[in-house]
Amino acid sequence: MNSISNIDLSKLKSCDQNWEKMPETERGRICQKCNENIIDFRNKSKADIAKAHVFSEINICGIYTEKQLSAPKEEIKIRTFKN
């Protein structure tokens, strides 16, 4: 199992647009301000959020809870599989 150390979710910025008014997509919603795909992380674990950001090949924008973004740095274990 690989680990990612010192994940600092406080550096992430939550989209400030109205989630309910954004058009839906397969992965979330489209922000009409920046035209980016926004993922709803509000019900995701810290590990899920870390994995999404670390292993994505594209920039990820999201919507988070204040509690998620104010979490202190911590080591998060992430299981990765090699082909």
Side-chain angles (χ1 to χ4, degrees), residues 2-62:
N2 291 338
S3 70
I4 298 173
S5 299
N6 296 324
I7 299 299
D8 187 359
L9 297 181
S10 70
K11 295 185 186 272
L12 299 175
K13 300 217 181 321
S14 191
C15 181
D16 64 357
Q17 300 301 298
N18 186 325
W19 176 260
E20 298 303 323
K21 292 184 179 180
M22 293 181 199
E24 292 184 40
T25 68
E26 269 185 32
R27 294 190 61 197
R29 309 248 175 156
I30 293 290
C31 176
Q32 295 177 326
K33 180 180 178 183
C34 69
N35 206 34
E36 293 289 330
N37 192 64
I38 309 297
I39 299 171
D40 187 354
F41 288 108
R42 292 176 291 186
N43 293 316
K44 301 292 184 187
S45 70
K46 293 175 192 174
D48 288 339
I49 295 169
K51 281 192 275 189
H53 284 277
V54 171
F55 295 117
S56 177
E57 294 179 7
I58 60 171
N59 286 341
I60 294 178
C61 295

